[in-house]
């Protein structure tokens, strides 16, 4: 039986190498790229199976290899990067993550409109960047009902989950992941992006890069919430500690939300050194040492030298953490943590009512058919807590 071989435009092969996930040296070990691009006979063309594998390795869509012209991916989101370096091509991992989030957002939008065609996000454009950051932060604290939560002893994880639940209750999907989909061989790069927000008049979506530090995730969550309130898309690709003019207003609001002046002054003590105070405040308010130092500097509490100390101490702590191997997590807890609970409940409702096939529902939740029912059971166990927090801000 003859092997099916297919000619591929050499320019598309080069484009796939430049825009794909693996570099040329890796691909050359597996594929006869020179023959593909410069065929002497039909036998030099790649087989159908080879094109499938090449597509999988580069993460370039399979159908691209049958085009006669170079693919033109719009990737409109790149213009919303905090620092938009036009010369930096977004990775396939970022592209695939955004496509996945857009798909989930579109489904949720249709689901909500089917329930009520007049549904819309109620908080878009309630603030603008001409308003006083301190005044806006007080309004945000009120909207999220955070006053009694700020400065209270709890873990960073618990505080993040409280914030996430309250933000989701406003009608914003809050997703997080540290890999593309469920593929642990495709980790997301924090240096490329820390978080993003996709605006929509019905249901905005915030995505948090789970590979970021716990405190950075908290800062990014409030930061992206403010972009949602302003009605702006964003792909956050800089450190929250970096002072950028175009992000200064949002960062000021964010740090004011997380570290209200009255609570900070109440928790600092003259009995302790500035360094010990800063460490204590960073832990209490779930912010990085540098963010806490900048905040206390603006409140004129400990002087200007503490920022440099915080930068050095934080860099050392991050270095030590990077050398530690993170323990593996529970499969179900990890799967559930990736998806917004509001979204999860909608998918479960659609499946249980017969409007969605169970295989589709499992895919929408990012689990397999085998693990679907146990995942649903665990989500429903959390539903009471979720609904209680949702009601508190409605």
């Amino acid at each position: 039986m003859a092997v099916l071989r297919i000619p591929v435009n050499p320019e598309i092969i080069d484009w796939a190498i430049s825009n794909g996930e693996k570099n040329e040296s890796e691909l050359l070990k597996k594929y006869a790229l020179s023959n593909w691009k410069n065929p002497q006979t039909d036998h030099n063309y790649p087989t159908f199976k080879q094109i499938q594998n090449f597509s999988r390795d580069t993460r370039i869509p399979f159908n691209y290899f049958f085009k006669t012209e170079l693919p033109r991916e719009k990737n409109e989101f790149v213009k919303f990067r905090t620092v938009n370096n036009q010369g930096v091509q977004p990775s396939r991992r970022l592209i695939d993550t955004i496509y996945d989030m857009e798909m989930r957002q579109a489904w949720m939008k249709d689901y909500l409109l089917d329930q009520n065609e007049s549904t819309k996000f109620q908080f878009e454009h309630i603030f603008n960047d001409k308003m006083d950051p301190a005044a806006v932060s007080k309004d945000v604290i009120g909207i999220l009902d955070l006053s009694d939560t700020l400065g209270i002893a709890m873990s960073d994880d618990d505080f993040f989950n409280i914030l996430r639940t309250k933000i989701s209750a406003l009608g914003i999907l809050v997703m997080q992941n540290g890999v593309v989909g469920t593929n642990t061989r495709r980790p997301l790069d924090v240096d490329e992006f820390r978080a993003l927000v996709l605006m929509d008049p019905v249901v905005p979506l915030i995505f948090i890069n789970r590979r970021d530090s716990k405190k950075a995730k908290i800062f990014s969550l409030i930061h992206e919430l403010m972009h949602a309130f302003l009605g702006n898309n964003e792909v956050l690709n800089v450190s929250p500690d970096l002072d950028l003019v175009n992000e200064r207003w949002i960062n000021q609001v964010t740090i004011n939300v997380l570290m209200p002046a009255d609570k900070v002054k109440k928790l600092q003590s003259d009995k302790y050194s500035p360094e010990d105070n800063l460490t204590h405040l960073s832990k209490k308010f779930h912010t990085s040492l540098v963010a806490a130092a900048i905040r206390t500097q603006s409140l004129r509490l400990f002087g200007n030298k503490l920022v440099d100390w915080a930068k050095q101490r934080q860099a050392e702590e991050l270095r030590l953490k990077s050398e530690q191997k993170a323990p593996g997590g529970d499969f179900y807890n990890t799967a559930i943590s990736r998806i917004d609970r509001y979204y999860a409940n909608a998918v479960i409702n659609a499946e249980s009512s017969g409007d969605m096939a169970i295989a589709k529902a499992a895919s929408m939740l990012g689990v397999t058919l085998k693990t679907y029912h146990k995942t649903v059971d665990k989500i429903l166990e959390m539903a009471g807590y979720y609904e209680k927090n949702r009601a508190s801000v409605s």
Side-chain angles (χ1 to χ4, degrees), residues 350-369:
E351 186 274 320
S352 62
S353 64
D355 293 332
M356 179 184 290
I358 189 171
K360 176 68 172 178
S363 174
M364 295 287 281
L365 295 184
V367 297
T368 63
L369 271 174

Side-chain angles (χ1 to χ4, degrees), residues 140-389:
V140 174
I141 290 172
I143 291 170
L144 296 176
D145 190 23
L146 281 178
S147 183
D148 294 336
T149 305
L150 296 167
I152 303 300
M154 68 179 73
S155 69
D156 290 338
D157 285 332
D158 286 343
F159 186 64
F160 176 85
N161 289 332
I162 287 173
L163 283 179
R164 183 180 183 180
T165 300
K166 289 178 178 290
I167 291 171
S168 178
L170 300 180
I172 301 173
L173 299 181
V174 183
M175 308 285 193
Q176 69 166 344
N177 207 340
V179 299
V180 180
T182 60
N183 191 340
T184 56
R185 295 184 179 181
R186 301 184 72 197
L188 301 178
D189 185 0
V190 172
D191 290 334
E192 181 175 29
F193 81 108
R194 295 173 178 270
L196 59 89
V197 59
L198 302 174
M199 282 307 299
D200 182 88
V202 175
V203 57
L205 182 147
I206 292 173
F207 179 89
I208 302 295
N209 188 339
R210 196 178 181 186
R211 293 179 66 83
D212 210 350
S213 70
K214 294 178 181 180
K215 287 180 168 58
K217 283 169 46 182
I218 289 167
F219 193 97
S220 294
L221 186 53
I222 297 296
H223 180 102
E224 299 301 64
L225 172 65
M226 292 312 305
H227 273 285
F229 284 159
L230 294 175
N232 297 335
N233 293 293
E234 190 200 33
V235 178
L236 181 63
N237 62 351
V238 296
S239 166
D241 299 325
L242 190 63
D243 183 25
L244 296 175
V245 174
N246 60 320
E247 292 289 297
R248 191 169 292 162
W249 183 86
I250 283 183
N251 284 341
Q252 286 176 345
V253 174
T254 301
I255 198 61
N256 271 272
V257 169
L258 294 173
M259 299 185 70
D262 58 335
K263 291 184 179 290
V264 171
K265 292 175 180 178
K266 184 177 180 180
L267 285 177
Q268 70 90 28
S269 173
D270 294 335
K271 296 180 181 180
Y272 304 108
S273 69
E275 291 81 4
D276 287 343
N277 261 304
L278 191 64
T279 301
H280 176 69
L281 293 173
S282 170
K283 184 176 181 180
K284 281 285 189 179
F285 292 104
H286 314 283
T287 64
S288 70
L289 275 175
V290 173
I294 293 171
R295 177 59 171 152
T296 56
Q297 181 185 58
S298 71
L299 297 175
R300 300 179 180 178
L301 291 180
F302 307 129
N304 298 331
K305 294 183 179 180
L306 210 55
V307 174
D308 290 335
W309 174 85
K311 288 179 179 179
Q312 294 176 357
R313 180 66 176 272
Q314 184 169 297
E316 177 63 16
E317 290 180 352
L318 289 175
R319 184 187 68 79
L320 292 174
K321 285 183 179 179
S322 68
E323 296 174 355
Q324 299 173 355
K325 186 176 181 180
D330 175 80
F331 169 82
Y332 294 98
N333 288 339
T334 298
I336 293 170
S337 74
R338 289 171 173 164
I339 52 178
D340 179 271
R341 290 175 187 162
Y342 191 21
Y343 165 87
N345 287 341
V347 171
I348 293 168
N349 289 340
E351 186 274 320
S352 62
S353 64
D355 293 332
M356 179 184 290
I358 189 171
K360 176 68 172 178
S363 174
M364 295 287 281
L365 295 184
V367 297
T368 63
L369 271 174
K370 183 178 179 180
T371 59
Y372 175 74
H373 289 296
K374 189 170 180 178
T375 302
V376 170
D377 288 342
K378 283 186 170 287
I379 290 172
L380 294 179
E381 285 175 13
M382 301 175 181
Y385 172 79
Y386 172 77
E387 290 299 330
K388 182 179 71 174
N389 282 274

Side-chain angles (χ1 to χ4, degrees), residues 18-19 73-92 94-95 189 191-193 235 237:
S18 298
N19 293 272
E73 294 183 315
K74 293 183 179 179
N75 294 333
E76 292 289 338
F77 64 84
V78 299
K79 65 185 178 185
F80 300 118
R81 290 184 291 196
T82 312
V83 175
N84 187 17
N85 184 342
Q86 294 288 348
V88 178
Q89 172 72 16
S91 72
R92 300 311 305 182
L94 173 56
I95 292 171
D189 185 0
D191 290 334
E192 181 175 29
F193 81 108
V235 178
N237 62 351

